Structure formats: structure tokens, C-alpha cells
Amino acid sequence: MADTPPEPPLITVILPDEQEVTGRLHERRQTPEGWLYKVSVPAWMLQDGQVVPSWYTVWVQAPAHVKPVKGVSYEAVPTTYLEPPSPVKQTLGPRRESGWVLAKTGDRGPDRGVVHAVDCEEAPTGAPVLTWERALDTAEQPGVRLCPLCGAAAELAPLIKGFDHGFSGE
């Protein structure tokens, strides 16, 4: 004879109209926005022309929509945790979108364009995104300079001038 799994533990579920009902807690899941709990609450349903007791199962936000029942243990409830961010991501923070864009000045004079990082406030919207190779080729053209505000200069200048630039007393 197979063992029947234990009943999920009791939990108090807070309904949208602030009523509180006793339900069952099936699962917990940590999300970037907070915790979600999969709960079932008693309800009624029509089955074969008869109104019969049933369970309505739904995900709710915790702790806004659930409260523990005194004396009930929730240790055995299946729980999914977020993976902690890597130390590298914690230190560096979110990555910016990769690529560069050329802002053409329209001048025929010496200043003909500026290469920006795609997320620079000065970058033109809708301009084609350049790969690093194309950005380097563009930056080496006469009259084109690298934006010092967004980091394009810091990122691309060492590739153009060499990484030793600035270390030999230049």
C-alpha cells in the first residue's frame, strides 16, 4: 500500500475584501519582486449537477495576502529561492548595452562626427549600432572624435592608441 503524501500545512489567506480564510500552502517562490505563495482555499463547484466542496488554487503575494497559522511548521513546504547574484555582478552592477553610435555633425569642417556609447544621453536615437571594429574604423576617420562623457573615449582610445599610451610620459 502506497503512503499518501501529507496534507499541505494550513495557512491563513487574506482575500481581496480583507476576509481571512484558512487554506493550504503548497509552495513558496522567491522572485525579484518578493515572495509568492501557492495556496488553496476552500470553495464550491458544480460537478455532475451537484454542488460539491472543492479547492481553488492560486499564487498570492506574501506577506500581503497570507499569514502563518500559530503552531504550524512550514519547513517541509517546497521553496524556490533566487540565485544570489555573483560577486562580480554585485561589484560591477548592471551592464550597459554594448555597441557605439556615430552622431554626425553635418559640418564639412574639421568636426564631422562623435562616436558615443549607445546609452549616452548625447547619442542620436535610431542610429545604427556599430560593433567595436566598426566604431574603431569610424573613430580613426579625420574629423571624428570619441565622446568623453559616456566612456566611448575611455573604452576605444586604448584600442586605437595602444594600451601603453599615457604610461611612458606622453
Side-chain angles (χ1 to χ4, degrees), residues 28-51:
R28 298 180 286 197
R29 184 176 299 162
Q30 187 181 25
T31 71
E33 293 77 33
W35 283 93
L36 296 178
Y37 280 30
K38 185 177 183 181
V39 298
S40 291
V41 292
W44 299 99
M45 67 179 256
L46 187 62
Q47 183 178 29
D48 299 325
Q50 299 286 326
V51 176

Side-chain angles (χ1 to χ4, degrees), residues 8-11 22-25 67-75 77:
L10 296 174
I11 193 160
T22 302
R24 299 277 182 184
L25 175 60
K67 293 193 305 193
V69 172
K70 188 174 182 177
V72 174
S73 171
Y74 299 103
E75 290 181 17
V77 175

Side-chain angles (χ1 to χ4, degrees), residues 27-165:
E27 186 179 345
R28 298 180 286 197
R29 184 176 299 162
Q30 187 181 25
T31 71
E33 293 77 33
W35 283 93
L36 296 178
Y37 280 30
K38 185 177 183 181
V39 298
S40 291
V41 292
W44 299 99
M45 67 179 256
L46 187 62
Q47 183 178 29
D48 299 325
Q50 299 286 326
V51 176
V52 295
S54 178
W55 289 94
Y56 176 71
T57 304
V58 65
W59 285 95
V60 297
Q61 293 176 322
H65 303 132
V66 289
K67 293 193 305 193
V69 172
K70 188 174 182 177
V72 174
S73 171
Y74 299 103
E75 290 181 17
V77 175
T79 304
T80 305
Y81 295 95
L82 285 177
E83 287 187 34
S86 74
V88 172
K89 285 186 178 179
Q90 284 180 319
T91 302
L92 297 178
R95 292 186 65 190
R96 72 162 181 84
E97 188 178 344
S98 63
W100 295 270
V101 295
L102 175 64
K104 296 178 183 177
T105 60
D107 294 342
R108 294 191 185 272
D111 190 18
R112 296 174 53 194
V114 180
V115 175
H116 297 277
V118 291
D119 59 349
C120 179
E121 290 181 11
E122 301 291 322
T125 56
V129 177
L130 307 173
T131 64
W132 69 269
E133 296 101 338
R134 186 73 185 115
L136 288 175
D137 290 343
T138 302
E140 290 181 319
Q141 299 297 316
V144 176
R145 59 187 172 85
L146 299 170
C147 176
L149 301 176
C150 66
E155 294 170 352
L156 297 174
L159 298 172
I160 295 170
K161 298 175 183 174
F163 287 96
D164 292 334
H165 180 73

